[in-house]
Structures are given as structure tokens and as C-alpha cells.
Amino acid sequence: MEQYIYIFTIILEIIVAVQLCLNIVRLDKKVTALLGDIKTLEGKIAPAIAEFRSGIRKFNKIASYIIKAKKFAALSHILSIVDIISIFFLFKSFRMYKGLNKLKFLRKLFSYSVVRSLFSYLKTAI
């Protein structure tokens, strides 16, 4: 009787081992197929990532140029406003200049960038 039980358990172990092997082979085929799909996707993803990075680099170059241009424009506007305010106060103090000091006044006036740029504009317009 014990021998039949041993034989039965051996047969059950063989059946379980065969089922396990069949499932392992089936899953191995699925894993192989997934690896193939991953390799094909990897071939498509790497150029897409490179293209995306180059696009970001181009965007960053354009954005930095725009930011620098706006910063320079804002700075030039601020400096022009400061020059205009300084010229205004210079004209307010014109009464204090007498005689040869009026030449100093004119020298001060023509030292401002707003006046110089106005004269250079007039020179090119004529």
C-alpha cells in the first residue's frame, strides 16, 4: 500500500514539474517578445530624446537672446530717462551760469547721451 502512495506522489510530482516547465517556456516566450518590443522602442526613443533635447537647446538660445535684448532695452530706456531728468535739472540751473561758465554749461549739455544721439540722428537724417 505504501508503494502505491509513493508511486502516486511521484506521478503527481512529474505532472506538476511538466506543468511548471510548460508555464516557464510560455512566459519565456512572452518575455522574449517584450524584450524585442523594448529594443524596437529603444531605437525609436533615442532619436526622439535627442531631437527633444536639441529643440530645448534651440528654445533656450532664443529665450536667452530675447531676455538679453529686453534687459538691454529696459536698461537703455532707464538710462535715457535719467539723462532727460538730468538735462531738465541742468536747464533749471542755467541762470546760475554767467559769462564763460556758459561754455561749461554747453559742454555739460553735450556730454549727455540723449543729446549726442539726437545730433547723430540728425546728422544721418540730413
Side-chain angles (χ1 to χ4, degrees):
M1 186 73 173
E2 277 183 31
Q3 292 174 353
Y4 292 121
I5 293 175
Y6 289 139
I7 292 172
F8 183 70
T9 56
I10 290 173
I11 292 172
L12 284 177
E13 286 179 5
I14 291 172
I15 292 172
V16 169
V18 167
Q19 287 180 349
L20 284 175
C21 290
L22 291 175
N23 284 334
I24 288 173
V25 168
R26 185 174 47 92
L27 292 175
D28 185 49
K29 288 179 183 177
K30 285 185 180 180
V31 168
T32 306
L34 286 174
L35 284 175
D37 291 342
I38 289 172
K39 286 183 181 180
T40 57
L41 285 177
E42 183 181 354
K44 293 177 183 176
I45 290 175
I49 289 173
E51 183 179 335
F52 182 73
R53 284 183 180 168
S54 68
I56 287 177
R57 285 188 192 117
K58 289 177 186 175
F59 176 76
N60 284 340
K61 285 181 184 177
I62 293 169
S64 68
Y65 178 74
I66 291 171
I67 289 170
K68 286 179 185 177
K70 284 187 177 182
K71 185 178 177 182
F72 179 73
L75 185 63
S76 67
H77 289 304
I78 290 171
L79 291 177
S80 299
I81 290 170
V82 168
D83 281 345
I84 291 170
I85 292 171
S86 298
I87 289 172
F88 174 74
F89 285 117
L90 185 67
F91 277 119
K92 287 285 237 174
S93 68
F94 178 69
R95 291 184 200 145
M96 296 183 337
Y97 290 96
K98 294 179 183 169
L100 290 176
N101 286 335
K102 288 194 178 189
L103 293 176
K104 288 183 183 178
F105 172 81
L106 290 175
R107 191 177 71 198
K108 251 187 180 178
L109 179 66
F110 289 119
S111 69
Y112 286 103
S113 62
V114 174
V115 176
R116 280 189 276 159
S117 64
L118 177 68
F119 276 109
S120 66
Y121 175 74
L122 290 174
K123 188 171 81 174
T124 57
I126 294 175

